[in-house]
Amino acid sequence: MSFISTGVEYGLHCLLYLSRSHAAVEEASVRDLAELQGIPVDYVAKLFTKLARAELVVATEGIRGGFRLARPAERISVHDVVVAIDGDKSLFDCREIRSRCAVFEDAPPAWATRGVCSIHAVMQTAERAMRTELKQQTLADLAQRTVDKAPANFGPQVVHWLTDRAANRRGDKEDPAPAKGRKRG
């Protein structure tokens, strides 16, 4: 069982392609981002609804529209994305098992339940440390690591792929051969 959903991973990967880095564009459609990565379009659309609700992305209008980051990648933390997609839920849900010991015969003594459960305390400390780390890592940090790792031609290939798809949707591409009776000029 994972505590952070696959949706967070998919969402972060999609956002990397909007990060305005060497391997990103300013705006892209959900369909293009999904197809680029082999992710179901409907699933990515649901993720982007959550990201938009959290004001991490902004939709652009119309059939030719898409999404862009609502603020610079340096100001979007991994934690922001986790909370937008998975919610701000605790990673550990203490069930207060310490009060159920059979020896207590349904009447646990005060010492057994005083203060925070020791196990819960450890989990809270671990969660705070994890959230602190996720807040320190930004989308720009992830994008830079991706650019540093990838071959030099990867970024331009991705940008070309996304740009070409958007241009085809808008009809910006010039026909290679003019239509009958129409002069090129």
Side-chain angles (χ1 to χ4, degrees), residues 7-27:
V8 170
E9 180 182 6
Y10 288 165
L12 284 166
H13 276 283
C14 288
L15 293 176
L16 287 177
Y17 291 111
L18 301 177
S19 68
R20 298 184 187 162
S21 71
H22 176 64
V25 293
E26 185 172 336
E27 176 183 321

Side-chain angles (χ1 to χ4, degrees), residues 37-101:
Q37 300 172 91
I39 304 169
V41 175
D42 291 342
Y43 189 64
V44 174
K46 289 176 185 174
L47 295 176
F48 270 78
T49 298
K50 291 178 179 185
L51 294 167
R53 199 174 306 130
E55 300 179 349
L56 299 180
V57 297
V58 177
T60 55
E61 299 282 326
I63 194 165
R64 296 179 182 119
F67 283 91
R68 62 180 169 79
L69 297 181
R71 56 185 185 253
E74 299 82 24
R75 292 185 41 228
I76 297 175
S77 72
V78 173
H79 186 264
D80 294 334
V81 177
V82 170
V83 172
I85 293 174
D86 282 354
D88 197 13
K89 61 186 179 195
S90 295
L91 299 179
F92 180 75
D93 187 18
C94 184
R95 303 290 182 181
E96 281 297 331
I97 293 170
R98 63 190 178 157
S99 67
R100 298 182 200 157
C101 181

